[in-house]
Amino acid sequence: MNQPMYELKNVAVDLSNAAGTRRILEDVSMTVMPNEVVGIVGRSGTGKTTLMRALGGLTPITEGSLTLQGKAVTGPADGVVTVFQDYGNALLPWRTVAKNVALPLEGKVARSELRDRVSTAIEMVQLKGRENDYLSSLSGGMQQRVQIARALVLNPRVVLMDEPFGALDALTKASLQDVLLGLHEQNQATIIFITHDLEEAIYLSDRTFVISGNVSSGQPGHLSMEVPVALPRPRNQLTTREMPEYIALRHRLAEAIDLVPA
Ligand SMILES: Nc1ncnc2c1ncn2[C@@H]1O[C@H](COP(=O)(O)OP(=O)(O)OP(=O)(O)O)[C@@H](O)[C@H]1O
Ligand SMILES: [Mg+2]
Protein backbone atom coordinates (compact mmCIF):
# COMPACT_ATOMS: atom_id res chain seq x y z
CA MET A 1 0.00 0.00 0.00
CA ASN A 2 1.04 3.55 -0.68
CA GLN A 3 2.36 5.58 2.19
CA PRO A 4 -0.21 8.19 3.26
CA MET A 5 0.60 11.82 2.55
CA TYR A 6 -0.84 12.98 5.86
CA GLU A 7 -1.77 10.95 8.87
CA LEU A 8 -3.48 12.54 11.86
CA LYS A 9 -4.18 10.54 14.98
CA ASN A 10 -6.25 12.02 17.79
CA VAL A 11 -4.90 15.49 17.17
CA ALA A 12 -5.81 18.26 19.60
CA VAL A 13 -4.79 21.91 19.31
CA ASP A 14 -4.93 24.43 22.16
CA LEU A 15 -4.44 28.13 21.47
CA SER A 16 -3.81 30.90 23.93
CA ASN A 17 -4.68 34.56 23.93
CA ALA A 18 -5.06 37.23 26.61
CA ALA A 19 -8.22 35.52 27.86
CA GLY A 20 -6.41 32.24 28.47
CA THR A 21 -5.94 28.90 26.75
CA ARG A 22 -8.70 27.20 24.83
CA ARG A 23 -9.02 23.85 23.13
CA ILE A 24 -9.78 24.61 19.50
CA LEU A 25 -9.58 21.14 17.94
CA GLU A 26 -10.01 17.75 19.56
CA ASP A 27 -9.68 14.14 18.54
CA VAL A 28 -9.05 14.82 14.85
CA SER A 29 -8.03 11.65 13.02
CA MET A 30 -7.74 11.41 9.26
CA THR A 31 -5.56 9.91 6.57
CA VAL A 32 -4.97 11.64 3.25
CA MET A 33 -3.44 9.64 0.41
CA PRO A 34 -1.09 11.08 -2.25
CA ASN A 35 -2.94 12.66 -5.15
CA GLU A 36 -6.22 12.86 -3.22
CA VAL A 37 -8.42 15.95 -3.22
CA VAL A 38 -9.92 16.37 0.23
CA GLY A 39 -12.49 19.00 1.18
CA ILE A 40 -13.24 20.22 4.69
CA VAL A 41 -16.54 21.98 5.35
CA GLY A 42 -17.85 23.46 8.53
CA ARG A 43 -19.46 26.47 10.06
CA SER A 44 -17.53 29.59 11.01
CA GLY A 45 -15.32 29.23 14.07
CA THR A 46 -15.14 25.42 14.09
CA GLY A 47 -11.35 25.40 13.73
CA LYS A 48 -10.93 24.95 9.97
CA THR A 49 -8.16 27.52 9.60
CA THR A 50 -6.51 26.15 12.73
CA LEU A 51 -6.50 22.66 11.19
CA MET A 52 -5.04 24.04 7.95
CA ARG A 53 -2.31 25.86 9.87
CA ALA A 54 -1.47 22.67 11.74
CA LEU A 55 -1.19 20.75 8.45
CA GLY A 56 1.08 23.48 7.09
CA GLY A 57 3.31 23.31 10.17
CA LEU A 58 2.37 26.87 11.15
CA THR A 59 0.57 25.95 14.40
CA PRO A 60 1.95 23.19 16.64
CA ILE A 61 -0.39 20.45 17.77
CA THR A 62 -0.95 19.92 21.49
CA GLU A 63 -1.84 16.23 21.56
CA GLY A 64 -1.83 13.28 19.20
CA SER A 65 0.33 12.79 16.14
CA LEU A 66 0.52 14.50 12.77
CA THR A 67 2.84 13.09 10.11
CA LEU A 68 3.63 14.06 6.54
CA GLN A 69 4.92 11.08 4.53
CA GLY A 70 5.77 9.35 7.78
CA LYS A 71 7.64 12.27 9.38
CA ALA A 72 6.27 14.30 12.29
CA VAL A 73 5.26 17.81 11.23
CA THR A 74 7.23 20.25 13.37
CA GLY A 75 7.27 23.30 11.09
CA PRO A 76 6.67 24.30 7.47
CA ALA A 77 7.81 21.43 5.23
CA ASP A 78 9.36 21.57 1.77
CA GLY A 79 6.88 21.01 -1.00
CA VAL A 80 3.84 22.08 1.03
CA VAL A 81 2.30 25.36 -0.04
CA THR A 82 -0.67 27.27 1.33
CA VAL A 83 -3.08 29.40 -0.66
CA PHE A 84 -4.87 31.89 1.57
CA GLN A 85 -8.32 33.30 1.16
CA ASP A 86 -7.11 36.85 1.36
CA TYR A 87 -5.14 37.22 -1.85
CA GLY A 88 -4.98 40.99 -1.35
CA ASN A 89 -2.65 40.54 1.60
CA ALA A 90 -0.79 37.54 0.22
CA LEU A 91 0.51 39.29 -2.92
CA LEU A 92 2.74 42.29 -3.55
CA PRO A 93 0.75 44.97 -5.43
CA TRP A 94 3.86 46.87 -6.57
CA ARG A 95 5.20 43.83 -8.40
CA THR A 96 4.10 42.50 -11.76
CA VAL A 97 2.32 39.18 -12.23
CA ALA A 98 5.56 37.44 -13.28
CA LYS A 99 7.51 38.92 -10.35
CA ASN A 100 4.87 37.85 -7.83
CA VAL A 101 4.88 34.31 -9.18
CA ALA A 102 8.69 34.22 -9.18
CA LEU A 103 8.95 35.34 -5.55
CA PRO A 104 9.26 31.97 -3.79
CA LEU A 105 11.96 30.80 -6.20
CA GLU A 106 14.07 33.95 -6.50
CA GLY A 107 17.72 33.27 -5.78
CA LYS A 108 17.04 29.56 -5.43
CA VAL A 109 17.25 28.38 -9.03
CA ALA A 110 19.13 29.52 -12.14
CA ARG A 111 17.59 32.44 -14.02
CA SER A 112 16.66 30.42 -17.07
CA GLU A 113 14.93 27.77 -14.96
CA LEU A 114 13.12 30.51 -13.03
CA ARG A 115 11.89 32.04 -16.28
CA ASP A 116 10.62 28.68 -17.58
CA ARG A 117 8.87 27.68 -14.38
CA VAL A 118 7.22 31.08 -13.97
CA SER A 119 5.97 31.02 -17.51
CA THR A 120 4.59 27.48 -17.15
CA ALA A 121 2.79 28.37 -13.91
CA ILE A 122 1.29 31.50 -15.48
CA GLU A 123 0.12 29.49 -18.44
CA MET A 124 -1.49 26.90 -16.17
CA VAL A 125 -3.71 29.50 -14.52
CA GLN A 126 -4.49 31.04 -17.89
CA LEU A 127 -2.84 34.40 -17.37
CA LYS A 128 -0.53 34.29 -20.38
CA GLY A 129 -0.18 37.78 -21.82
CA ARG A 130 -0.61 39.46 -18.43
CA GLU A 131 2.93 38.70 -17.14
CA ASN A 132 4.01 42.33 -17.04
CA ASP A 133 0.83 43.80 -15.59
CA TYR A 134 0.96 45.16 -12.07
CA LEU A 135 -1.19 43.36 -9.53
CA SER A 136 -3.18 46.50 -8.83
CA SER A 137 -4.47 46.43 -12.42
CA LEU A 138 -5.93 42.90 -12.15
CA SER A 139 -9.40 41.77 -11.14
CA GLY A 140 -9.92 39.81 -7.91
CA GLY A 141 -10.24 36.50 -9.76
CA MET A 142 -7.02 37.18 -11.65
CA GLN A 143 -5.19 38.06 -8.44
CA GLN A 144 -6.33 34.80 -6.91
CA ARG A 145 -5.01 32.98 -9.99
CA VAL A 146 -1.65 34.71 -9.46
CA GLN A 147 -1.60 33.35 -5.91
CA ILE A 148 -2.32 29.86 -7.23
CA ALA A 149 0.44 30.22 -9.84
CA ARG A 150 2.84 31.28 -7.10
CA ALA A 151 2.04 28.07 -5.25
CA LEU A 152 2.40 25.94 -8.39
CA VAL A 153 5.77 27.34 -9.37
CA LEU A 154 7.20 25.33 -6.47
CA ASN A 155 5.93 22.03 -7.98
CA PRO A 156 4.38 21.25 -4.60
CA ARG A 157 3.52 17.77 -3.40
CA VAL A 158 0.76 19.27 -1.23
CA VAL A 159 -1.42 22.31 -1.80
CA LEU A 160 -3.36 23.56 1.22
CA MET A 161 -6.13 26.03 0.40
CA ASP A 162 -8.09 27.99 2.99
CA GLU A 163 -11.35 29.07 1.37
CA PRO A 164 -9.50 29.77 -1.86
CA PHE A 165 -12.49 31.02 -3.84
CA GLY A 166 -14.61 32.36 -0.99
CA ALA A 167 -14.33 36.00 -1.97
CA LEU A 168 -15.11 35.55 -5.67
CA ASP A 169 -18.28 35.86 -7.70
CA ALA A 170 -20.05 32.65 -8.76
CA LEU A 171 -18.81 32.60 -12.35
CA THR A 172 -15.17 33.32 -11.52
CA LYS A 173 -15.39 30.73 -8.78
CA ALA A 174 -16.68 28.10 -11.21
CA SER A 175 -13.90 28.75 -13.70
CA LEU A 176 -11.20 28.67 -11.00
CA GLN A 177 -12.61 25.39 -9.69
CA ASP A 178 -12.06 23.98 -13.16
CA VAL A 179 -8.57 25.48 -13.38
CA LEU A 180 -7.78 23.72 -10.10
CA LEU A 181 -9.15 20.37 -11.29
CA GLY A 182 -7.19 20.69 -14.55
CA LEU A 183 -4.02 21.39 -12.59
CA HIS A 184 -4.64 18.44 -10.34
CA GLU A 185 -5.00 16.19 -13.36
CA GLN A 186 -1.63 17.40 -14.72
CA ASN A 187 0.38 17.72 -11.49
CA GLN A 188 -0.87 14.95 -9.25
CA ALA A 189 -0.41 17.07 -6.13
CA THR A 190 -2.40 16.27 -3.01
CA ILE A 191 -4.94 19.01 -2.42
CA ILE A 192 -6.65 19.79 0.88
CA PHE A 193 -9.05 22.70 0.83
CA ILE A 194 -11.46 24.38 3.18
CA THR A 195 -14.73 25.83 2.08
CA HIS A 196 -18.04 27.11 3.40
CA ASP A 197 -19.62 25.99 0.17
CA LEU A 198 -20.99 22.45 0.36
CA GLU A 199 -21.39 22.19 -3.40
CA GLU A 200 -17.82 23.29 -3.98
CA ALA A 201 -16.63 20.59 -1.61
CA ILE A 202 -18.54 17.91 -3.52
CA TYR A 203 -17.61 19.22 -6.96
CA LEU A 204 -13.88 19.24 -6.26
CA SER A 205 -13.16 16.47 -3.82
CA ASP A 206 -12.62 12.71 -3.61
CA ARG A 207 -13.64 12.88 0.03
CA THR A 208 -15.19 15.58 2.16
CA PHE A 209 -14.98 15.88 5.94
CA VAL A 210 -17.45 17.81 8.04
CA ILE A 211 -15.97 19.66 10.98
CA SER A 212 -18.39 20.52 13.81
CA GLY A 213 -18.19 22.16 17.19
CA ASN A 214 -18.62 25.47 18.89
CA VAL A 215 -15.31 26.62 20.29
CA SER A 216 -16.83 29.67 22.00
CA SER A 217 -19.15 27.51 24.08
CA GLY A 218 -16.50 25.00 25.04
CA GLN A 219 -17.06 22.41 22.32
CA PRO A 220 -13.82 22.05 20.34
CA GLY A 221 -13.92 21.42 16.62
CA HIS A 222 -13.89 17.76 15.61
CA LEU A 223 -14.51 15.76 12.45
CA SER A 224 -18.12 14.66 12.63
CA MET A 225 -18.50 12.98 9.25
CA GLU A 226 -16.47 11.63 6.35
CA VAL A 227 -18.21 11.52 2.99
CA PRO A 228 -16.64 9.70 0.03
CA VAL A 229 -17.41 11.47 -3.24
CA ALA A 230 -17.46 8.81 -5.92
CA LEU A 231 -18.40 11.11 -8.79
CA PRO A 232 -16.63 10.42 -12.09
CA ARG A 233 -13.77 12.66 -13.29
CA PRO A 234 -13.32 14.81 -15.23
CA ARG A 235 -16.07 16.76 -13.55
CA ASN A 236 -18.29 19.14 -15.39
CA GLN A 237 -20.03 22.23 -14.01
CA LEU A 238 -23.32 21.19 -15.60
CA THR A 239 -23.48 17.44 -15.87
CA THR A 240 -21.71 16.60 -12.58
CA ARG A 241 -24.00 18.94 -10.68
CA GLU A 242 -27.05 17.30 -12.26
CA MET A 243 -26.15 13.78 -11.19
CA PRO A 244 -28.45 12.15 -8.64
CA GLU A 245 -25.37 11.14 -6.58
CA TYR A 246 -24.28 14.79 -6.46
CA ILE A 247 -27.68 15.89 -5.23
CA ALA A 248 -27.77 13.11 -2.65
CA LEU A 249 -24.31 14.13 -1.35
CA ARG A 250 -25.41 17.74 -1.10
CA HIS A 251 -28.42 16.64 0.92
CA ARG A 252 -26.25 14.58 3.24
CA LEU A 253 -23.76 17.37 3.87
CA ALA A 254 -26.51 19.95 4.37
CA GLU A 255 -28.05 17.75 7.03
CA ALA A 256 -24.70 17.13 8.68
CA ILE A 257 -24.10 20.83 8.95
CA ASP A 258 -27.71 21.58 10.08
CA LEU A 259 -28.35 23.84 7.12
CA VAL A 260 -32.08 23.35 7.52
CA PRO A 261 -33.11 23.49 11.20
CA ALA A 262 -35.09 20.40 12.22
N1 LIG B 1 -4.58 32.54 18.79
C1 LIG B 1 -5.78 32.18 19.23
N2 LIG B 1 -6.05 32.13 20.54
C2 LIG B 1 -7.25 31.77 21.00
N3 LIG B 1 -8.27 31.41 20.22
C3 LIG B 1 -8.08 31.44 18.89
C4 LIG B 1 -6.83 31.82 18.31
N4 LIG B 1 -6.95 31.72 16.96
C5 LIG B 1 -8.20 31.31 16.72
N5 LIG B 1 -8.89 31.13 17.87
C6 LIG B 1 -10.27 30.68 18.01
O1 LIG B 1 -10.37 29.38 17.50
C7 LIG B 1 -11.66 29.18 16.93
C8 LIG B 1 -11.51 28.60 15.56
O2 LIG B 1 -10.87 29.54 14.71
P1 LIG B 1 -10.58 29.23 13.18
O3 LIG B 1 -10.02 30.46 12.57
O4 LIG B 1 -9.77 28.00 13.09
O5 LIG B 1 -12.06 28.94 12.65
P2 LIG B 1 -12.60 28.71 11.18
O6 LIG B 1 -13.38 27.46 11.21
O7 LIG B 1 -11.51 28.85 10.20
O8 LIG B 1 -13.63 29.92 11.02
P3 LIG B 1 -14.03 30.76 9.69
O9 LIG B 1 -14.93 29.86 8.92
O10 LIG B 1 -14.79 31.93 10.25
O11 LIG B 1 -12.79 31.12 8.97
C9 LIG B 1 -12.36 30.53 16.99
O12 LIG B 1 -13.26 30.52 18.07
C10 LIG B 1 -11.24 31.50 17.21
O13 LIG B 1 -11.68 32.61 17.94
MG1 LIG C 1 -11.08 30.20 8.68
Side-chain angles (χ1 to χ4, degrees):
M1 239 231 358
N2 260 347
Q3 183 185 43
M5 186 55 77
Y6 275 110
E7 206 160 20
L8 288 81
K9 287 189 192 145
N10 309 109
V11 166
V13 176
D14 294 348
L15 291 177
S16 306
N17 60 16
T21 299
R22 265 199 305 205
R23 178 136 300 188
I24 311 295
L25 287 173
E26 189 160 73
D27 203 20
V28 175
S29 297
M30 69 196 264
T31 302
V32 178
M33 298 309 287
N35 194 23
E36 251 196 312
V37 184
V38 169
I40 297 169
V41 296
R43 289 181 175 272
S44 180
T46 47
K48 300 183 299 296
T49 295
T50 306
L51 177 59
M52 206 50 119
R53 290 180 55 85
L55 293 170
L58 301 170
T59 293
I61 63 170
T62 310
E63 282 174 18
S65 76
L66 164 57
T67 57
L68 174 67
Q69 292 186 309
K71 281 171 53 183
V73 173
T74 52
D78 280 347
V80 178
V81 296
T82 304
V83 174
F84 299 97
Q85 171 173 20
D86 189 358
Y87 47 83
N89 282 330
L91 298 167
L92 305 176
W94 60 88
R95 280 192 162 214
T96 62
V97 168
K99 291 233 148 101
N100 266 283
V101 174
L103 193 66
L105 277 184
E106 269 173 11
K108 293 187 183 147
V109 298
R111 272 231 211 127
S112 59
E113 184 184 340
L114 181 66
R115 214 175 22 237
D116 287 350
R117 283 171 67 172
V118 167
S119 119
T120 308
I122 288 176
E123 212 165 313
M124 285 197 281
V125 298
Q126 295 159 19
L127 279 177
K128 208 165 155 46
R130 307 301 293 259
E131 291 85 347
N132 298 318
D133 288 9
Y134 285 93
L135 259 285
S136 46
S137 71
L138 299 186
S139 71
M142 288 173 173
Q143 294 190 34
Q144 187 60 321
R145 276 187 271 167
V146 173
Q147 206 198 158
I148 294 169
R150 194 174 64 176
L152 295 172
V153 81
L154 292 164
N155 294 328
R157 56 184 161 150
V158 177
V159 184
L160 303 173
M161 306 180 107
D162 191 353
E163 298 192 38
F165 313 133
L168 304 172
D169 68 275
L171 293 177
T172 305
K173 184 166 164 171
S175 61
L176 282 190
Q177 288 168 346
D178 290 334
V179 166
L180 184 71
L181 290 179
L183 295 171
H184 177 251
E185 218 166 278
Q186 287 173 41
N187 283 39
Q188 311 286 304
T190 305
I191 298 175
I192 305 177
F193 68 97
I194 286 172
T195 180
H196 277 117
D197 179 345
L198 305 184
E199 300 204 18
E200 177 168 87
I202 300 165
Y203 185 67
L204 295 176
S205 74
D206 297 309
R207 269 189 305 152
T208 289
F209 288 89
V210 179
I211 180 165
S212 307
N214 188 340
V215 172
S216 314
S217 61
Q219 197 192 358
H222 55 279
L223 299 180
S224 54
M225 189 185 268
E226 174 183 343
V227 180
V229 179
L231 296 166
R233 292 186 189 272
R235 299 204 176 148
N236 177 290
Q237 292 286 356
L238 285 178
T239 55
T240 300
R241 292 177 190 268
E242 288 161 357
M243 289 178 169
E245 301 90 316
Y246 177 92
I247 299 183
L249 287 167
R250 191 178 68 174
H251 192 111
R252 226 176 126 191
L253 285 181
E255 274 184 350
I257 219 160
D258 278 332
L259 198 63
V260 184

